[in-house]
Amino acid sequence: MDHLLHLDRTLDELDPPRWTSPAADATDLMRKVHALRHVRLREFGPADLRVLVSQQVALPYVLPLAVRLLLEEPLLDASFYPGDLLLTAVRAPASAWSLLPDLNAVLRAVIAALPDAAVADLPRGGAEELARFVTRPETLR
């Protein structure tokens, strides 16, 4: 299955029900997430994907987009530091990755191929998180 078939559609179209407007007292983060649900998938940048994945919004549609970027540049700096999108992706729930086993395998291979020196520059615990993702038992992938 091609996970990138819907690039001209929005998350509100693909991931029902459509969200109502954020509450008046919503945080800036929640306003950002609500706004991103109205953006066409092809227009998402790395920072947008990091936000959506970290908030676990429409992961079957968002994770494939993140993985596509990570295949080109695994330690991409999406907002805060090199590798932030990668660490956000591996923190996605195992249940989301179980829906995307082919992408899970591809991302695990990309992570396994990273040089130790590159991974050493990740924030504290980052290298361990990547190692856990790569070696997670099949039933949890």
Side-chain angles (χ1 to χ4, degrees):
M1 175 168 111
D2 187 348
H3 300 289
L4 303 174
L5 291 174
H6 307 292
L7 294 176
D8 288 323
R9 298 181 68 193
T10 69
L11 293 176
D12 255 5
E13 295 170 331
L14 295 167
D15 184 45
R18 290 179 185 264
W19 288 14
T20 59
S21 296
D25 62 346
T27 64
D28 289 341
L29 175 59
M30 285 314 302
R31 289 183 191 286
K32 172 78 172 171
V33 171
H34 277 260
L36 288 172
R37 294 212 22 116
H38 299 285
V39 174
R40 294 188 190 290
L41 271 59
R42 79 171 57 259
E43 296 171 17
F44 287 151
D48 301 327
L49 293 171
R50 189 198 54 74
V51 166
L52 291 167
V53 173
S54 71
Q55 296 303 303
Q56 300 183 18
V57 174
L59 291 176
Y61 299 103
V62 177
L63 278 173
L65 298 172
V67 170
R68 180 173 67 169
L69 293 178
L70 294 169
L71 291 176
E72 295 174 19
E73 189 177 345
L75 297 175
L76 175 71
D77 182 340
S79 294
F80 300 117
Y81 53 86
D84 59 353
L85 181 60
L86 178 60
L87 286 174
T88 300
V90 301
R91 291 174 183 146
S95 59
W97 285 110
S98 70
L99 299 173
L100 305 163
D102 52 336
L103 291 177
N104 184 320
V106 166
L107 188 58
R108 284 185 295 123
V110 166
I111 293 168
L114 287 173
D116 290 340
V119 174
D121 289 336
L122 293 173
R124 184 182 318 163
E128 292 80 9
E129 284 186 77
L130 295 181
R132 276 192 300 274
F133 183 82
V134 169
T135 61
R136 197 164 44 189
E138 192 66 38
T139 57
L140 297 178
R141 289 191 184 141

